[in-house]
Amino acid sequence: MSDHPVSSPAAGSSGHGGTPAVAGSKPALGAAAVRLVRAGNGAIVNEAILDNARLVKHQDFTPYQLTGGVWVLPGPSLNAAVIEGPDGLIVWETGENIEHGKRYRELIRSISTKPIKAVIYSHTHYTLGTSAIIEGELDVKVIGHPKLNENMQVATLGSYFPEIEPLQRARAVQHAQMFLPEQGEDAKHGFFIEPGERGFVPVNTPVQHGEELTVAGIRLQFFTEGGSDTDDCTTVWLPEHKVALNNILWPWQPNFYTPRGAKFRDPRIWSEALRHILALQPEYLINQHGRSIAGREEIGRTLRNYLDFTSLVLDQTLRGILQGKGPEELRDFIRLPRHLAAEPWLFESYGRMDWHAPYIMNHAVGWWDGDAATLAKLPPQQIAERMVPLLGGRDKILVAAREARAKGELAWALELLNYPFRLTPADAEIRQLKAELLRESARACTASITRGFMLSQALALEGKITLPRVVPPTPQQIAANPTTFVNQMRVRVDPVKAQDTDAVMRFDFTDGTRQSVALHLRRGVTEFVERPDRHYRQADIVLTLDARCFAALFLSSESLEALVDRQAVVITGDKAGASAFLALFDSLRP
């Protein structure tokens, strides 16, 4: 990537990964000056991102031999590896799609023509190129965590409540910069996802913590306790080579909180996984996202700093809670000792440190800050209705926001502007100013997740793209497991519209092994009935249909009336009430 200077605005977070000016947290889009440069694709970014990337990420994507028989296949964001044994090859990681798998296979064949004997998954996220890698191979072991197959069936987003995955998917497309252009000032940069055709092959050789296997003549040991961004991480140890392969050490701070809304990531679990690697005393460390590290001392120092940061974030959050601080006060509470602030592997190039403490506190004791006055808060809309006149009205707020912008106080400018924006979101002048503030903030910050959300929403405010509110499951996903999605309809009922309805709708599926499930809508609350034949009340309405027709109903892509007209659905019982029953549930439209 090139780093052509653009300008030096007074905005955003400051400091280079290796030599920050002071220890501690950086300003959150305050008035600290940053230097903006153009990356190779034209994206305008904070120069500190490029400076730090040279220290912790591969700059050359040519495969290289790390040590005897162990090759690394580096990439801009993701790395794979190949281990050559006497009897064949072992592949670690397969990428985000089948095209990645094809590319990896070509690289593998440039290294060796031996048969591929095994594929190892580090965790759920990069498992989708496997079918292309092992095409034509015989008796391939697919090795991974015991939970991995189940997690792949549910989702790879790490949802605590699968019912809200449509919202998480919509956030994920911004997180991963999927709507940003490939070239230009607003182009993708940092961590982004390349979606494509999926080639996942399920694990056929699940491994337990500490288990050893010999594959292709190579002795392997696996560690499955502890983890990072999923609960199915597997660290691989090659005892004879002194090589560890992992998804635990990242080339940025451990991302305990992600705005797309994954399950809680416990810093203690991350610390546990780091300790397992430290105990091995590896001489070579292959990392999922960062460059490989050689040398026991350098690996140990880096891992210990990463471990200490992980422990510090948790301990200092709890310290702040004990001092009576609330979630918002915790944002800038944590201070780093000088050596951790200067550690390139702990740079804020993915997430932000000020996200983590509020999230941990919410998990620990909930959202309340301890001030009795905040136990009964006005909704944001009502606060905006009061704040706009109090601040002098729309025009004065816009003047104040522009003054804050001129000083480089972008976070404060956005805070001010959001009051009138909440009241008049269609106001063209407000929308354009918010888009400009988001774009400037995105360029100044170093965290790629922040950049992805801010630039995506800036482009949407300008009418250049349309962001989905939700990304529903596909008809194929619903048809593969329709009873799961009947259950998920519970959370879409309008309790006020349905307060006078007490009825049972049964779904009799004409395909698949599960024939019947039901929803009992009981005056505003919906109960999923797994065994209608055992329910205390008989069905008032029965829909007989196949899974594809249910998918159309679930996605609101076709009305019940239309399905009945083309004889795809048969209604038994209260035919007049069937459409009225379904109308009490929110439409799941993007």
Side-chain angles (χ1 to χ4, degrees):
M1 288 183 178
S2 60
D3 52 347
H4 306 298
V6 176
S7 62
S8 301
S13 52
S14 64
H16 293 256
T19 55
V22 293
S25 59
K26 296 184 283 294
L29 297 173
V34 300
R35 178 177 168 83
L36 299 182
V37 297
R38 290 186 191 274
N41 62 352
I44 298 179
V45 299
N46 188 322
E47 186 179 35
I49 300 171
L50 304 183
D51 289 347
N52 197 80
R54 296 185 188 100
L55 301 175
V56 298
K57 299 186 73 175
H58 290 109
Q59 302 300 297
D60 181 352
F61 307 132
T62 305
Y64 62 91
Q65 190 170 21
L66 183 65
T67 185
V70 180
W71 292 75
V72 177
L73 311 181
S77 295
L78 310 174
N79 304 308
V82 181
I83 303 145
E84 183 176 10
D87 306 326
L89 305 176
I90 301 168
V91 180
W92 180 74
E93 302 294 56
T94 69
E96 297 170 277
N97 53 57
I98 284 181
E99 288 305 312
H100 280 191
K102 290 178 180 177
R103 198 154 64 237
Y104 285 153
R105 185 176 176 88
E106 290 179 5
L107 294 172
I108 291 164
R109 286 302 168 223
S110 71
I111 294 168
S112 173
T113 58
K114 290 181 179 180
I116 295 172
K117 293 295 186 180
V119 167
I120 304 174
Y121 297 139
S122 74
H123 67 308
T124 316
H125 288 163
Y126 310 114
T127 60
L128 301 180
T130 313
S131 62
I133 289 176
I134 67 173
E135 185 177 0
E137 305 286 343
L138 300 175
D139 301 322
V140 178
K141 292 183 182 295
V142 182
I143 301 170
H145 194 285
K147 290 184 178 180
L148 193 141
N149 287 348
E150 179 185 354
N151 287 348
M152 288 297 295
Q153 288 180 348
V154 176
T156 59
L157 292 173
S159 303
Y160 190 79
F161 294 108
E163 293 88 346
I164 61 170
E165 279 179 19
L167 173 72
Q168 290 178 281
R169 283 191 287 266
R171 289 186 175 188
V173 299
Q174 298 180 59
H175 171 134
Q177 307 183 55
M178 293 183 192
F179 280 84
L180 300 188
E182 299 293 334
Q183 302 287 328
E185 294 183 351
D186 294 336
K188 302 173 182 180
H189 192 270
F191 181 84
F192 54 86
I193 296 293
E194 298 179 78
E197 186 180 355
R198 298 161 63 94
F200 173 66
V201 176
V203 170
N204 59 29
T205 309
V207 289
Q208 302 297 326
H209 185 72
E211 183 175 346
E212 293 191 19
L213 291 175
T214 297
V215 180
I218 299 289
R219 188 155 68 93
L220 307 167
Q221 188 174 20
F222 305 93
F223 298 91
T224 58
E225 292 179 0
S228 56
D229 56 338
T230 69
D231 61 359
D232 52 23
C233 290
T234 299
T235 293
V236 185
W237 174 235
L238 311 179
E240 276 78 27
H241 298 75
K242 301 298 181 185
V243 174
L245 303 95
N246 79 103
N247 175 47
I248 309 301
L249 176 69
W250 292 357
W252 46 67
Q253 292 179 3
N255 201 42
F256 301 122
Y257 173 70
T258 177
R260 65 180 168 81
K263 290 178 185 175
F264 179 66
R265 298 173 180 178
D266 192 328
R268 295 170 298 182
I269 303 299
W270 214 307
S271 295
E272 181 183 5
L274 288 163
R275 289 191 178 93
H276 289 314
I277 303 174
L278 271 166
L280 298 171
Q281 297 187 340
E283 294 179 6
Y284 301 93
L285 187 65
I286 299 176
N287 303 299
Q288 172 64 73
H289 297 292
R291 66 172 178 83
S292 302
I293 308 176
R296 184 180 299 181
E297 288 187 10
E298 180 64 16
I299 291 170
R301 185 200 65 78
T302 305
L303 288 171
R304 280 189 293 274
N305 281 350
Y306 213 77
L307 172 63
D308 288 348
F309 175 89
T310 301
S311 300
L312 182 144
V313 168
L314 175 60
D315 293 349
Q316 290 301 306
T317 299
L318 301 181
R319 174 177 173 242
I321 293 171
L322 287 172
Q323 290 182 11
K325 299 186 184 302
E328 295 307 308
E329 295 167 303
L330 285 172
R331 282 187 178 276
D332 64 349
F333 174 71
I334 297 175
R335 294 290 184 269
L336 299 181
R338 192 175 296 106
H339 71 290
L340 295 184
E343 173 57 69
W345 291 82
L346 293 171
F347 186 64
E348 286 185 345
S349 61
Y350 188 47
R352 294 175 58 96
M353 192 170 79
D354 61 349
W355 293 344
H356 306 318
Y359 182 60
I360 294 169
M361 178 174 178
N362 202 342
H363 185 79
V365 294
W367 55 263
W368 185 44
D369 63 3
D371 181 352
T374 64
L375 284 171
K377 293 187 72 171
L378 291 173
Q381 183 74 13
Q382 292 187 27
I383 292 174
E385 289 169 355
R386 289 158 173 78
M387 287 299 293
V388 168
L390 191 65
L391 292 170
R394 170 195 180 277
D395 293 343
K396 286 191 175 181
I397 292 175
L398 264 63
V399 169
R402 290 190 172 103
E403 289 175 350
R405 176 189 186 181
K407 296 176 183 177
E409 296 175 348
L410 300 180
W412 177 234
L414 283 164
E415 176 86 17
L416 288 170
L417 191 64
N418 256 359
Y419 290 122
F421 178 78
R422 190 174 290 277
L423 299 184
T424 55
D427 185 312
E429 185 179 4
I430 292 175
R431 290 175 71 84
Q432 185 57 44
L433 180 55
K434 183 171 181 179
E436 292 169 5
L437 289 169
L438 287 173
R439 180 172 285 108
E440 289 180 30
S441 300
R443 292 173 177 176
C445 73
T446 59
S448 71
I449 297 176
T450 306
R451 185 177 189 278
F453 278 102
M454 286 182 166
L455 280 182
S456 297
Q457 293 186 24
L459 292 170
L461 285 165
E462 293 170 337
K464 296 175 180 175
I465 61 172
T466 300
L467 292 175
R469 177 180 56 82
V470 293
V471 176
T474 65
Q476 294 77 17
Q477 288 172 312
I478 299 168
N481 197 0
T483 58
T484 293
F485 292 96
V486 172
N487 185 9
Q488 291 188 11
M489 286 184 67
R490 305 178 345 268
V491 305
R492 290 161 55 184
V493 70
D494 185 320
V496 176
K497 289 182 181 177
Q499 62 188 332
D500 296 321
T501 300
D502 189 347
V504 176
M505 175 176 280
R506 195 176 80 216
F507 299 83
D508 286 357
F509 290 103
T510 58
D511 51 358
T513 56
R514 273 309 286 285
Q515 293 300 311
S516 299
V517 292
L519 294 174
H520 186 173
L521 179 49
R522 200 164 45 245
R523 302 187 65 183
V525 176
T526 307
E527 178 186 0
F528 173 67
V529 182
E530 189 172 11
R531 291 292 303 270
D533 57 331
R534 297 181 181 178
H535 194 53
Y536 69 88
R537 175 168 166 174
Q538 301 243 336
D540 302 286
I541 307 161
V542 178
L543 303 186
T544 303
L545 71 174
D546 64 22
R548 288 179 300 171
C549 290
F550 172 74
L553 288 175
F554 184 90
L555 295 171
S556 308
S557 62
E558 198 168 359
S559 69
L560 179 61
E561 292 83 355
L563 290 167
V564 170
D565 286 346
R566 64 181 181 87
Q567 299 181 337
V569 174
V570 175
I571 303 175
T572 305
D574 185 3
K575 296 182 181 180
S579 293
F581 183 99
L582 292 176
L584 298 172
F585 294 80
D586 295 337
S587 172
L588 193 64
R589 294 188 183 276

